[in-house]
Amino acid sequence: MAVRVAVDAMGGDHAPGEVISGAIRAVRQADGDLKVLLYGPEPKLRAVLAAHEPDPRISVVHAPDVIGMGEVPVAAVRAKPRSSIHLGLRGHRAGAADAFLSAGNTGAVVAASLFLLKRLSGAKRPSIPSFFPTTAGACILLDVGSNMDSRPEHLVQFARMGSAYARIMAEIEQPRVALLNVGEEPAKGNELVRKAHEMLTAAQDINFVGNVEGQDILHHRAEVIVCDGFVGNVVLKLVESIGTALPRMAEQELDRLEADPAARRVLSRIFKRLRRRFNPADYGGGAPLLGVDGEVFILHGRSSADAVERCIQLAARAARLNLNAAIKEAIAL
């Protein structure tokens, strides 16, 4: 039976064009086991779809309202119950879709998910993880922005959810879990991380390997790294800049050295490959909202059709593997 993914076709800076292109690519790569439901104003979506060859696996669900990127999330969710985010999540809750994804207003997606899908039983806070490229594959950092203020027990639960995600989706049998801190010693850091370290050490179901520092993230000291959302979002934005800042810095140094064209071509190829390693599309295009009772995925607002395609595939895989059940089991401990 085909997996059905509900897509907020109006979410993101390049919607609906890039979103629809990504959806079409996803179903064409899926060999008939995927269907996509596009939520948004039907006339606008039909106009974009008219430029593509018709595909019966793509359907449109009319959602006349759109929540803008700059709108206040909770107020927008309340004021626009017929938005593409709201109706897409309603479709997921009702069983019309097996997963939902959006590149739109992240706060609105989180707020609407909590309102419509509710938290999983036992979930204290939802969490958004992010994949980072490392010298030996990739690691998962969470939380990266859904919780600006956290308590130690929240970080412990993030560790459990991140471990379950790594086991199910990355097929890592016993992922190493680390706590992001300003030093490796257990006594380092503020009260939040010191207490979290104590609780993580005592949790026998978590493969806790201790504290790691910022410079350890890209050197693959652990498969799962936990922190509060404020710190995680700062790290996320810094790492996102590496793929664009390093090539520019390299070009500046090449100019100072008056490098020959051959050296420039070699470095250009190297940095082009590095930029791809830091491209979110290479790590599924988006990330799940862990802790809500559904398969909800969130993409960056600047997501391309490639990222949308990858994220639809990721969401469909999560639904097939029943990621939500694994998260529920992990936090029940």
Side-chain angles (χ1 to χ4, degrees):
M1 182 178 176
V3 174
R4 303 155 301 169
V5 178
V7 175
D8 168 20
M10 300 307 296
D13 299 341
H14 308 298
E18 289 292 293
V19 178
I20 290 175
S21 293
I24 291 170
R25 291 184 197 177
V27 297
R28 288 177 180 171
Q29 290 291 326
D31 296 325
D33 63 350
L34 174 67
K35 293 183 178 180
V36 172
L37 295 82
L38 298 171
Y39 284 78
E42 186 168 2
K44 184 172 288 188
L45 302 191
R46 294 288 183 196
V48 176
L49 282 167
H52 299 271
E53 185 177 336
D55 193 312
R57 295 166 296 181
I58 300 281
S59 59
V60 173
V61 182
H62 183 53
D65 297 330
V66 176
I67 295 177
M69 299 295 278
E71 293 190 59
V72 177
V74 174
V77 169
R78 289 174 177 168
K80 296 180 176 180
R82 300 178 69 201
S83 71
S84 49
I85 291 174
H86 207 287
L87 293 185
L89 284 166
R90 278 190 179 276
H92 181 28
R93 185 185 68 179
D98 303 297
F100 169 82
L101 66 87
S102 174
N105 185 315
T106 298
V109 175
V110 173
S113 296
L114 289 170
F115 175 66
L116 293 168
L117 303 178
K118 312 300 182 185
R119 296 179 189 174
L120 280 171
S121 176
K124 301 178 187 302
R125 296 277 183 89
S127 179
I128 302 173
S130 181
F131 276 94
F132 289 97
T134 76
T135 54
C139 72
I140 301 168
L141 181 76
L142 71 168
D143 181 75
V144 294
S146 56
N147 300 279
M148 291 295 108
D149 297 294
S150 297
R151 297 197 296 268
E153 57 268 30
H154 298 152
L155 299 190
V156 175
Q157 193 166 87
F158 296 165
R160 289 193 168 106
M161 292 194 292
S163 294
Y165 186 75
R167 283 196 304 273
I168 299 299
M169 300 298 288
E171 300 181 345
I172 301 171
E173 185 175 347
Q174 196 173 23
R176 296 170 297 167
V177 177
L179 178 65
L180 188 59
N181 202 345
V182 296
E184 294 186 0
E185 300 83 357
K188 286 287 184 72
N190 56 24
E191 184 178 354
L192 168 65
V193 293
R194 289 197 304 270
K195 181 62 177 176
H197 188 286
E198 179 183 327
M199 295 174 69
L200 286 164
T201 301
Q204 296 185 2
D205 60 300
I206 299 172
N207 183 22
F208 182 55
V209 297
N211 291 335
V212 295
E213 299 177 71
Q215 71 266 21
D216 298 319
I217 297 173
L218 301 186
H219 286 285
H220 206 86
R221 287 283 302 278
E223 284 74 45
V224 177
I225 300 175
V226 296
C227 59
D228 67 82
F230 182 88
V231 171
N233 196 260
V234 171
V235 172
L236 174 65
K237 299 299 173 56
L238 175 62
V239 172
E240 283 179 344
S241 74
I242 292 175
T244 53
L246 284 183
R248 184 175 180 184
M249 291 177 181
E251 289 173 2
Q252 292 169 345
E253 293 303 317
L254 288 169
D255 290 340
R256 293 189 182 100
L257 293 170
E258 299 181 349
D260 61 73
R264 290 177 183 272
R265 285 195 295 271
V266 171
L267 281 175
S268 176
R269 288 198 295 270
I270 291 171
F271 280 109
K272 185 176 182 179
R273 293 177 67 88
L274 280 175
R275 277 196 295 270
R276 285 203 296 268
R277 291 178 70 173
F278 284 92
N279 184 350
D282 281 356
Y283 299 94
L289 178 62
L290 303 177
V292 298
D293 195 8
E295 307 288 5
V296 177
F297 282 76
I298 296 173
L299 298 90
H300 198 291
R302 297 193 301 271
S303 290
S304 64
D306 187 34
V308 173
E309 175 190 353
R310 297 283 185 89
C311 194
I312 290 173
Q313 293 166 344
L314 184 68
R317 184 164 180 262
R320 290 189 191 98
L321 296 175
N322 204 351
L323 172 64
N324 211 37
I327 299 296
K328 186 175 182 178
E329 181 180 352
I331 63 177
L333 297 172

